[in-house]
Amino acid sequence: MSDVAEQRNYNLRDEIKIYWSERAATFDLSPGHEIFSEEERAAWHRLIRRHLGEGEGRAALDLASGTGVVSHLLDDLGFRVTGLDWAEPMLERARNKARERRRKISFRMGDAENTMEPDDHYDAVVNRHLVWTLVDPATAFAEWLRVLKPGGRLLIVDGDFVNTSALEWLFSKLSGWGQRAGLLKADTPSGSREMMETHRSILSRVHFSRGARAEDVAELLRMTGFVDVEINTDLGEIHRTQAKNWNVFKALARKSQHRYAIRARKPSN
């Protein structure tokens, strides 16, 4: 294949897949990705119970499951979990983690915008930090509606990682200054400078390049056919447990971000 043909067939979705494949090796080192305390785990359990209830053997699909963090939370609560991700290095770590913890979670390769899963199959569809990366969220949301059983619920956990408030900017600057001066706890490395540039480039070209605001995501869900769409911006309990892993200014910067959970339901027949 010629270089021209390769470039034509290499698109933004390919870049996103490669980026997350490269991030797999260090993904679980970051607070906010992996869970570092039982206190945080319990906070996540309460959030999931609030929006989805107890698992009781119901089928749940964890989209962009990564190393399986959310899949394990759902499994804790009694859901029968399938994790779908399109980055093989993420799936490899997820499968190893499930074996080590003796969990019966099925992890397989799949695309969140075209899952290839059966119609009306899942009681719950869940994802964390996926929506902001979507190239075509309308297509993705229609796909999630399709695979849910009538009356099934969708739970999205995400945020606006583009628009920086004055407070977030100030706290981030103070955190950076304190780290460089050796006075504050350093952040967990998030990759090379090249990877950070790749992240910024991807973010500038996805659908929500101007920020995935909760209201915009909720409106698109309604347009897709979801009902009973509810926005929850009170993630303070989870934030407080995560904040113990950061310096004070980093924690305040995170708290200043627009983060949220959105629950929606597929209409019953």
Side-chain angles (χ1 to χ4, degrees):
M1 183 180 294
S2 70
D3 290 343
V4 173
E6 286 182 359
Q7 290 173 8
R8 185 181 299 121
N9 292 325
Y10 184 81
N11 57 30
L12 177 57
R13 286 163 56 81
D14 294 317
E15 289 185 53
I16 294 170
K17 182 176 181 178
I18 291 170
Y19 172 79
W20 288 112
S21 294
E22 292 178 352
R23 285 291 307 276
T26 59
F27 188 83
D28 282 343
L29 300 179
S30 301
H33 290 169
E34 180 58 284
I35 293 172
F36 288 89
S37 70
E38 290 307 309
E39 184 183 15
E40 181 184 353
R41 189 177 307 280
W44 278 106
H45 286 162
R46 283 188 281 272
L47 178 76
I48 294 170
R49 282 194 185 99
R50 171 179 171 179
H51 294 295
L52 301 180
E54 295 288 348
E56 298 177 334
R58 292 182 294 148
L61 179 62
D62 178 17
L63 291 168
S65 53
T67 63
V69 176
V70 173
S71 295
H72 282 259
L73 292 170
L74 293 166
D75 185 74
D76 291 342
L77 298 179
F79 285 93
R80 182 164 41 88
V81 187
T82 299
L84 219 62
D85 203 285
W86 65 357
E88 184 57 43
M90 289 285 193
L91 288 169
E92 181 181 353
R93 284 163 175 78
R95 290 168 184 145
N96 287 338
K97 192 185 295 184
R99 280 194 293 268
E100 290 169 1
R101 297 179 181 176
R102 299 182 180 179
R103 301 297 185 95
K104 294 181 179 180
I105 303 172
S106 173
F107 290 104
R108 55 178 179 259
M109 181 79 73
D111 181 352
E113 294 185 18
N114 183 23
T115 66
M116 306 298 289
E117 295 294 309
D119 293 352
D120 304 328
H121 187 71
Y122 289 97
D123 298 283
V125 171
V126 182
N127 57 78
R128 181 182 69 165
H129 301 167
L130 167 63
V131 168
W132 74 267
T133 73
L134 292 173
V135 176
D136 187 354
T139 296
F141 293 172
E143 176 72 355
W144 305 350
L145 188 71
R146 180 186 68 79
V147 302
L148 274 170
K149 295 177 182 178
R153 293 184 178 184
L154 169 68
L155 177 60
I156 291 170
V157 180
D158 224 288
D160 177 359
F161 308 121
V162 175
N163 298 292
T164 303
S165 68
L167 276 177
E168 183 185 349
W169 180 87
L170 174 62
F171 292 139
S172 294
K173 288 294 183 182
L174 290 170
S175 176
W177 175 84
Q179 290 178 63
R180 288 190 296 273
L183 301 174
L184 296 175
K185 181 180 179 180
D187 291 345
T188 303
S190 57
S192 65
R193 183 178 297 276
E194 182 180 0
M195 287 187 67
M196 288 188 283
E197 288 297 329
T198 299
H199 181 276
R200 282 192 285 267
S201 174
I202 289 171
L203 186 53
S204 71
R205 290 176 288 145
V206 294
H207 178 88
F208 291 110
S209 60
R210 297 184 180 180
R213 305 298 293 182
E215 296 79 7
D216 296 335
V217 175
E219 181 57 26
L220 189 52
L221 288 169
R222 294 186 187 99
M223 292 172 62
T224 304
F226 283 95
V227 297
D228 298 337
V229 181
E230 175 187 313
I231 298 171
N232 172 18
T233 57
D234 183 14
L235 305 186
E237 184 181 17
I238 291 172
H239 170 79
R240 285 190 293 273
T241 63
Q242 294 175 340
K244 297 176 181 180
N245 300 292
W246 296 306
N247 68 63
V248 61
F249 292 120
K250 171 74 171 181
L252 288 170
R254 290 273 297 205
K255 185 179 180 181
S256 303
Q257 290 179 326
H258 176 63
R259 292 175 177 263
Y260 51 83
I262 300 177
R263 184 189 66 194
R265 184 174 61 82
K266 179 173 179 174
S268 302
N269 290 339

